[in-house]
Amino acid sequence: MPERVDRDGTPAYRFLGVEVTRREAAFLVLGVVFLFVIPDIASLSDSLQLSVIHQGLLFGFAAVGLNLLLRHTKLTSFGHAAFFGTGAYATAVLARYAGVQSVGLLLLGAIAAATVMAAIIGVLSLRHTGLYFALLTLAFGQLLYAIALGQSALGGSDGLPIRPGPANQPLLFGTAFSPDVYQILTYYLTVVVILIGLFVMYRITQSPFRNALDAIGQERTRARFIGLPVRRYVWAAFVISGIYGGVAGGLYAVVRQYVRPEGTLFFLRSGDILFMAILGGFRTLVGPLIGGVVLVFLQDVGQDVTQYYEFLTGMVLLILVYGFPRGIVGSLRSGGIVNTRLSELRREPSVLSTWGRTAAQSIERKVTEALTSLRIILFGVD
């Protein structure tokens, strides 16, 4: 049963080690219910495709893992697609060459492969920090991409299908389902895995291990002086982060039943995962997940609207980043820009005209600066 506790003067409830206020509990329940009814909502609208949301959740889950590094150790990885792709390809290889049909066993294989890969890349990359660490992760990611592209056993650029056994598809609970039922069941499997993953990540970020990572992220030398095994702790965080990517990749392969290098290992995928974490709010637990759904949804809608969808997506993302520097979820939290602006609007409705003038002046200033920069580039004078 939930236990009532006091959290910094605010009444809260503790259950399974999770402390939430009444408001947070309400949002949590609504979020879980919303995740489970998405297939029903998607069936009512042609513009909302379950596969798009499902894909966004999977990449967002990989971003949740990356966020552990980004938020607490201040390390930026440009190659996190390596673990996503490792999980996906491990699933494909097990299904294709070992004849494994069970979804559970395929996911365990993906987790094992991603863990080993993250452990190896972590040992080789974490000797450096900052830009060198980022470039090393990028290099390892591209190395795996080149291997997948060049090996005929991995299907080269054509990729590998995941259709084991007489049923021609992975089995859920030992049973083969029709494509429509399979899509729904794998979505609910993803939701369950995501909820477990978020719970585990919450417990990690509430533990002394998180405090050690924060200390390392703030000042490595001081952390080492107070006795923290810096490299070992960061390596552990790196491996945990890679496991999340591997689970997401394994689920992606099970859902799509096909794996290609461009969709899983290419460096642009690493950029997408990193941007999802920042877009959703890398200082929050669920922000990267929301960022994943938003980014994939924008890319999908953009392709339907215009052939220049990347420009459209870029413009929308620029507005979000400049307007909500804490990310989508971070801006909605108490003290965020959305709550602050709504409070100001409730106190004084006429503040809207002030915001309009400020926005117009800001746009005018930016345009002037851009024209000045362009004139200097073209004519070399100020």
Side-chain angles (χ1 to χ4, degrees):
M1 291 297 293
E3 175 189 1
R4 187 163 182 168
V5 297
D6 183 82
R7 196 178 75 181
D8 300 329
T10 304
Y13 297 91
R14 180 187 296 155
F15 185 66
L16 295 177
V18 179
E19 284 186 11
V20 291
T21 62
R22 188 173 296 177
R23 182 184 180 192
E24 290 170 342
F27 278 118
L28 180 63
V29 172
L30 281 176
V32 173
V33 171
F34 182 69
L35 278 176
F36 277 95
V37 300
I38 278 180
D40 297 317
I41 297 174
S43 65
L44 301 175
S45 171
D46 294 334
S47 59
L48 189 63
Q49 297 182 24
L50 178 62
S51 59
V52 174
I53 297 174
H54 198 168
Q55 186 170 319
L57 288 173
L58 291 173
F59 281 109
F61 190 66
V64 170
L66 172 62
N67 201 36
L68 182 66
L69 280 180
L70 193 62
R71 180 180 180 185
H72 299 292
T73 67
K74 305 294 186 291
L75 288 173
T76 304
S77 169
F78 287 165
H80 231 61
F83 311 121
F84 189 92
T86 298
Y89 267 93
T91 301
V93 168
L94 285 173
R96 176 72 179 267
Y97 296 109
V100 177
Q101 301 180 53
S102 166
V103 168
L105 292 178
L106 291 173
L107 290 180
L108 286 177
I111 293 171
T115 303
V116 172
M117 188 61 68
I120 295 172
I121 294 179
V123 168
L124 298 175
S125 303
L126 292 171
R127 296 174 183 274
H128 303 277
T129 59
L131 180 61
Y132 295 103
F133 169 79
L135 290 178
L136 275 172
T137 54
L138 175 64
F140 281 116
Q142 282 301 92
L143 184 62
L144 292 179
Y145 171 73
I147 292 173
L149 202 61
Q151 291 295 320
S152 58
L154 297 178
S157 60
D158 294 331
L160 280 178
I162 303 168
R163 300 184 180 281
N168 218 23
Q169 71 173 1
L171 302 181
L172 281 162
F173 314 112
T175 307
F177 296 92
S178 66
D180 290 342
V181 176
Y182 182 80
Q183 184 188 25
I184 299 293
L185 288 178
T186 51
Y187 170 79
Y188 285 127
L189 174 65
T190 298
V191 171
V192 172
V193 171
I194 285 175
L195 292 177
I196 294 173
L198 288 176
F199 174 73
V200 172
M201 186 59 75
Y202 174 84
R203 294 304 302 266
I204 290 174
T205 56
Q206 298 297 315
S207 68
F209 178 63
R210 168 258 175 96
N211 296 331
L213 293 180
D214 283 339
I216 293 168
Q218 290 169 13
E219 180 54 66
R220 284 193 169 217
T221 304
R222 289 181 180 175
R224 193 173 291 113
F225 281 164
I226 63 175
L228 289 177
V230 172
R231 188 173 294 174
R232 194 188 310 163
Y233 274 33
V234 178
W235 177 80
F238 190 86
V239 173
I240 293 171
S241 176
I243 291 173
Y244 274 70
V247 173
L251 281 168
Y252 175 88
V254 166
V255 173
R256 299 291 295 266
Q257 300 185 53
Y258 207 93
V259 175
R260 294 186 62 198
E262 286 79 7
T264 57
L265 284 166
F266 196 45
F267 75 96
L268 290 179
R269 279 300 180 199
S270 296
D272 283 345
I273 294 172
L274 177 61
F275 199 83
M276 288 168 184
I278 298 172
L279 175 65
F282 74 96
R283 296 185 185 282
T284 64
L285 178 64
V286 299
L289 201 63
I290 304 296
V293 175
V294 171
L295 184 61
V296 173
F297 183 75
L298 284 176
Q299 291 173 340
D300 181 73
V301 171
Q303 292 182 48
D304 293 338
V305 173
T306 172
Q307 60 177 325
Y308 306 108
Y309 69 93
E310 291 174 338
F311 175 80
L312 178 65
T313 306
M315 287 299 296
V316 173
L317 293 179
L318 279 174
I319 293 170
L320 286 172
V321 170
Y322 278 113
F324 306 95
R326 293 186 181 183
I328 297 171
V329 178
S331 300
L332 292 173
R333 295 176 66 181
S334 177
I337 187 170
V338 173
N339 275 331
T340 304
R341 292 287 185 261
L342 286 176
S343 299
E344 291 176 3
L345 188 61
R346 280 196 295 268
R347 287 196 302 270
E348 182 54 63
S350 64
V351 75
L352 270 176
S353 60
T354 305
W355 292 349
R357 284 196 301 273
T358 303
Q361 290 169 357
S362 178
I363 293 171
E364 183 183 1
R365 187 169 59 253
K366 294 296 182 185
V367 170
T368 303
E369 290 174 359
L371 291 175
T372 302
S373 300
L374 182 63
R375 188 170 63 248
I376 293 173
I377 293 171
L378 293 177
F379 304 108
V381 293
D382 191 355

